[in-house]
Amino acid sequence: MPTDLQALRDLEHVGLGSPTADEAFDRFARLVRRHLDVPAAVVYFAVREGQVLAGASGMPEPMQSNRLLQHPGTLTNLITAAGEPVVTSDARLDPALRDNYLVREMGLVALAGYPVFDLRGRAVGALCAVVDVPREWSKDDLASLSDLAAACTAELRLRAERERARRIQQTAVRANRRSRFLLSLSEAFANANTLDQVEEVIIEVGTAGIGARYCSFALTDADGRGLTYRSLVHAEPQFPQRMRHARMDDPRPVSEAARTGRPLFFRSGDEMFAAFPAVQDVCDPEVGARAFLPVVTAGVVVAVIVLAWESNRGPDKDSYALQTGLAHYTGHALERARLLEERRESAKTLQRAMLSRLPEVPHLDMAATYSPATRSDQIGGDWYDAVAVDDDATMFMIGDVTGHDMRAAAKMGQLRSLLRAFAWSHDESPSALLSLLDKANAGLGLLASGTAVVARLERIPGAYQLTWSTAGHPPPLVLREDGTVERLAVQPDMMLGVRPTSKRTDHVTTLHPGDTLLLYTDGLAEQRGTTPDQWLNRLQKTLGVLGDTATAALPVTLVRRLASDDQRDDVAVLAVRVRAAAPSGPPSLGRPATAERKLAPSLSDVGPARIWVDDVLESCGVPMPLRRTVMLLTSEVLTNAVDHGQAPFTTTVEVDTERLRVGVRDSSTEQPELRDPTVTDFGGRGVQFLERLASRWGVDRHGETPTAPRPGSPRASRRRIGKTVWFELDLS
């Protein structure tokens, strides 16, 4: 390990001082394995305990999970000690290396390692490729490893620069914090309405405002028997995950502060270890002063704030006032956050209870979602509904009542119920239903205002006729089967609640198998500072990108992509997709239903192919629970074919009265293997799924055989070789 304590602290400051996996360095390790074709690769950094494996791929257990190598004098330490590469084709033949722990105990044979340098040019780690058999390293191997090690160095230095910039900023803020701190506390907590936001403010105030290097926050459990840290991201270095929870009677300072309700201050680490010896082995000895501040509301300790500094210091009057002020404001913020969270959850529950469950209609795939505004604890006025009128016609409705309070929600519920009843009892067009609703709104004294769309989807030979009418609402969208998006833009009629006698108009288009109708409220994509045409274009573009998304996931995915985290408006989304039927029609006695589809040699076509299989099965009457299993197995077979097979690819579906069969044919003769992958292996589970979930599965090999010549062809053709991977499920 390096003897420079500053190098150790720098590693800890950038989050590389504890044995945890790092996403960026894990990626470098995977790149080494892929480009050098080696069984294992590692990016390590030398720390007090040994070597932290920040990046690791293919390493043996428990090293791959624990991310720590503690044996002294390991072969890889030679790289950081000398600051130069170490390359050996067979360490067992090198007298200086063969007695090393990695060679003797862990089976390392060939090693190529390049050092990783920090901002000051110190070798603090290395990137290594590891092989358990002799290997001659080529120039290309070493050049690739050298380039990747340089990239690791750049990543480490970038983090160090960011850390240094953060610390410089912290020092600048500290100069004037005392005079403005107490005045700014109230403002800082004013917009903290959730526990996550409260924690963010605590971290910001504790570090930038008070000047602590580390800050963490523990909440008392509901039963009052312990407390749990919400996050260890900003906790002091090397604080173990197993210490995240503490019992009230534990000999720990955080438990003492929670149990007694009195703050604890320690000028140094030694002072804290003397009072609480049990925590000496789990706390960083390089950290200096610490403070444990109980947060009290209504006479009960609800949380403890933990502050830690890099150096020793005493709790002077100014710092004591700042810290106790932080605890005081935190108590009020937590009480408000808990109350708002309870009200928010109650509002969400009531809102969802007012929304109807979508009916099950043959040959239509429907999904909907409602997402309340994140900054409001009130119920909104957005809603959706669907009513199956008969076997061939279904009504779809969506609307937005003006307002974001309980009154708007009550009016929404009444309007929705009226429209639902009209749709069920009156065989009328969408425009007539909106006219009835507007007249009832005025005649019954509801006097609600808002927008709405009513659409009627009716079966016609080979397709569906869509008739819709809009009362000032954003236009419906249609995602066509070929991936294009059509905006059903028409001149909207008057919104509800303005002039009940205004004329309303119907509009007609056709939905073909594979087309998806999207109804939504304006909160989905509307943005301040943009025109309606701009945010509608954004919505159309996003919908087009999601063409291969399953209907069940489409509304939620749209909300996640388009509605911001600071969602200011409620959102309702309703998607209706016309399923594609099997070309041969449903199965009958003695005649199975069959369908065939070409699969493009790209993973991007796996999603549409999977949806096509589900459509065929639905048109054959296969129940939904069984189709979910088929979708899982189909995804695995399709993905495996594209990843490991050879084009062209063909998907076939066959359904009779007793069983269903799905097969994927390709031109490769390579057989799928039943493997037993480890937890860290990326793949290898597809055949396991077939083995456990399918009633039967197998592989049919196709040999190259001559076929009779086609009319007008001078010679016979030859059928391509390959295989078909298939599985069957019994319908009984």
Side-chain angles (χ1 to χ4, degrees):
M1 60 171 277
T3 56
D4 193 334
L5 293 179
Q6 185 60 45
L8 294 176
R9 291 194 181 98
D10 289 345
L11 287 175
E12 294 167 354
H13 291 163
V14 297
L16 298 173
S18 57
T20 55
D22 185 278
E23 181 180 354
F25 291 110
D26 269 347
R27 188 179 300 114
F28 285 120
R30 292 193 298 268
L31 286 172
V32 170
R33 287 188 67 190
R34 187 181 308 130
H35 288 284
L36 272 67
D37 192 22
V38 294
V42 64
V43 182
Y44 78 85
F45 294 96
V47 297
R48 295 180 182 86
E49 293 81 0
Q51 297 172 8
V52 168
L53 309 186
S57 179
M59 298 298 290
E61 295 292 350
M63 191 183 305
Q64 177 70 34
S65 299
N66 294 346
R67 298 300 179 106
L68 184 65
L69 180 60
Q70 294 179 296
H71 297 274
T74 56
L75 176 59
T76 49
N77 261 344
L78 297 176
I79 305 172
T80 53
E84 297 179 351
V86 171
V87 179
T88 175
S89 59
D90 193 339
R92 300 171 300 182
L93 304 180
D94 190 335
L97 303 177
R98 63 190 178 193
D99 293 330
N100 192 277
Y101 169 79
L102 293 179
V103 179
R104 187 182 66 253
E105 300 293 338
M106 300 195 65
L108 183 147
V109 176
L111 170 76
Y114 280 73
V116 176
F117 301 95
D118 67 2
L119 200 60
R120 303 186 184 186
R122 298 167 297 199
V124 294
L127 172 66
C128 301
V130 181
V131 186
D132 55 2
V133 295
R135 170 165 174 167
E136 294 295 334
W137 303 97
S138 68
K139 290 183 179 180
D140 288 341
D141 291 341
L142 299 181
S144 296
L145 196 61
S146 176
D147 290 342
L148 289 172
C152 290
T153 296
E155 172 69 18
L156 179 62
R157 289 178 173 177
L158 178 61
R159 294 187 186 188
E161 288 286 4
R162 289 174 178 170
E163 175 64 15
R164 186 168 68 174
R166 191 197 64 78
R167 297 181 69 186
I168 292 174
Q169 182 183 16
Q170 180 190 51
T171 303
V173 172
R174 187 182 303 166
N176 62 358
R177 62 177 167 75
R178 289 183 178 85
S179 61
R180 304 175 57 185
F181 181 76
L182 292 176
L183 292 177
S184 64
L185 266 180
S186 178
E187 181 180 353
F189 280 106
N191 295 323
N193 296 323
T194 67
L195 291 178
D196 289 338
Q197 292 172 346
V198 171
E199 183 180 19
E200 289 177 4
V201 173
I202 292 173
I203 301 300
E204 180 181 358
V205 172
T207 54
I210 294 180
R213 176 64 180 84
Y214 310 106
C215 181
S216 51
F217 176 55
L219 282 173
T220 55
D221 298 339
D223 57 9
R225 298 180 179 180
L227 63 164
T228 304
Y229 286 89
R230 280 186 57 81
S231 171
L232 298 181
V233 174
H234 300 280
E236 64 182 71
Q238 303 179 7
F239 191 81
Q241 185 73 21
R242 60 184 174 83
M243 301 293 288
R244 186 170 183 173
H245 180 77
R247 296 193 304 270
M248 284 295 183
D249 56 354
D250 281 346
R252 295 170 56 178
V254 67
S255 302
E256 177 76 14
R259 188 170 57 251
T260 63
R262 296 191 299 270
L264 299 177
F265 301 94
F266 301 99
R267 294 177 174 82
S268 65
D270 292 338
E271 183 177 322
M272 186 182 72
F273 298 149
F276 297 92
V279 302
Q280 184 168 359
D281 294 336
V282 298
C283 292
D284 191 340
E286 298 298 324
V287 176
R290 293 176 176 85
F292 298 83
L293 312 175
V295 178
V296 182
T297 61
V300 178
V301 177
V302 296
V304 174
I305 301 172
V306 182
L307 304 174
W309 290 263
E310 288 182 308
S311 58
N312 299 339
R313 55 177 288 171
D316 54 55
K317 292 183 179 180
D318 289 341
S319 63
Y320 180 85
L322 298 180
Q323 295 165 31
T324 54
L326 172 61
H328 176 75
Y329 278 98
T330 299
H332 289 296
L334 284 178
E335 190 173 7
R336 182 177 67 253
R338 291 180 187 275
L339 177 61
L340 289 176
E341 184 63 25
E342 291 177 359
R343 294 177 61 182
R344 189 178 296 111
E345 288 302 316
S346 298
K348 289 180 182 179
T349 301
L350 182 56
Q351 176 74 50
R352 293 189 179 101
M354 298 176 68
L355 298 174
S356 303
R357 181 178 179 180
L358 296 178
E360 294 185 4
V361 179
H363 313 306
L364 293 181
D365 198 6
M366 293 178 278
T369 188
Y370 169 79
S371 178
T374 56
R375 301 186 61 184
S376 174
D377 62 337
Q378 300 288 347
I379 303 175
D382 293 21
W383 54 276
Y384 63 83
D385 205 349
V387 176
V389 179
D390 53 40
D391 292 341
D392 294 325
T394 306
M395 303 296 299
F396 298 97
M397 298 152 278
I398 197 163
D400 184 0
V401 174
T402 306
H404 293 89
D405 52 21
M406 295 295 289
R407 180 176 299 178
K411 291 183 177 181
M412 178 273 289
Q414 291 172 304
L415 284 182
R416 171 190 159 278
S417 298
L418 282 171
L419 185 55
R420 182 177 178 84
F422 290 152
W424 173 254
S425 60
H426 292 65
D427 188 15
E428 298 284 356
S429 66
S431 61
L433 293 177
L434 283 173
S435 296
L436 286 172
L437 177 65
D438 211 7
K439 292 176 182 178
N441 177 43
L444 296 176
L446 300 181
L447 303 179
S449 63
T451 64
V453 168
V454 176
R456 180 186 178 96
L457 202 57
E458 191 165 6
R459 292 188 70 177
I460 58 177
Y464 276 82
Q465 178 176 286
L466 174 67
T467 306
W468 81 96
S469 182
T470 175
H473 201 79
L477 300 179
V478 176
L479 173 62
R480 296 296 182 183
E481 194 273 338
D482 61 1
T484 60
V485 178
E486 179 182 348
R487 184 192 305 180
L488 302 183
V490 296
Q491 184 66 35
D493 297 329
M494 185 71 67
M495 65 184 295
L496 299 171
V498 177
R499 192 168 63 246
T501 58
S502 62
K503 182 181 179 181
R504 302 197 176 275
T505 310
D506 287 313
H507 310 277
V508 180
T509 190
T510 302
L511 296 187
H512 300 281
D515 292 347
T516 301
L517 170 68
L518 187 76
L519 304 178
Y520 55 93
T521 56
D522 55 11
L524 178 62
E526 189 176 32
Q527 293 180 314
R528 293 185 177 183
T530 61
T531 65
D533 195 58
Q534 288 174 327
W535 62 260
L536 280 172
N537 286 336
R538 175 170 172 252
L539 173 57
Q540 282 185 250
K541 183 178 179 180
T542 305
L543 181 59
V545 172
L546 299 176
D548 61 346
T549 303
T551 309
L554 184 59
V556 174
T557 305
L558 283 170
V559 171
R560 288 176 178 172
R561 293 202 179 189
L562 294 173
S564 64
D565 294 335
D566 189 18
Q567 185 181 325
R568 296 176 177 271
D569 197 4
D570 304 325
V571 177
V573 184
L574 174 61
V576 185
R577 181 171 171 275
V578 179
R579 290 183 175 272
S584 62
S588 61
L589 188 61
R591 187 184 65 82
T594 58
E596 181 176 291
R597 182 187 191 274
K598 302 295 184 183
L599 178 68
S602 170
L603 289 175
S604 62
D605 198 33
V606 170
R610 183 180 62 245
I611 295 174
W612 171 82
V613 172
D614 191 41
D615 286 347
V616 173
L617 297 180
E618 192 269 350
S619 69
C620 295
V622 178
M624 174 60 75
L626 190 58
R627 296 209 310 270
R628 292 194 183 102
T629 302
V630 176
M631 289 305 96
L632 173 61
L633 299 181
T634 300
S635 295
E636 295 295 336
V637 175
L638 291 171
T639 303
N640 188 68
V642 175
D643 277 342
H644 306 292
Q646 296 177 5
F649 306 101
T650 304
T651 307
T652 58
V653 179
E654 183 177 327
V655 183
D656 59 28
T657 57
E658 297 182 353
R659 51 94 189 168
L660 64 87
R661 177 189 178 104
V662 177
V664 179
R665 177 170 179 167
D666 71 282
S667 296
S668 170
T669 57
E670 183 179 353
Q671 300 285 326
E673 297 179 3
L674 180 60
R675 296 168 52 191
D676 187 17
T678 64
V679 176
T680 57
D681 286 344
F682 180 75
R685 296 172 177 82
V687 179
Q688 283 192 342
F689 288 142
L690 291 174
E691 187 73 19
R692 297 179 182 179
L693 300 179
S695 302
R696 289 163 299 279
W697 75 279
V699 181
D700 293 340
R701 302 187 64 174
H702 309 293
E704 188 178 48
T705 57
T707 60
R710 297 181 179 178
S713 176
R715 57 183 178 178
S717 62
R718 305 186 70 84
R719 180 181 299 173
R720 64 184 175 91
I721 62 174
K723 68 178 182 301
T724 296
V725 181
W726 57 269
F727 65 86
E728 293 182 350
L729 277 83
D730 294 328
L731 295 179
S732 57

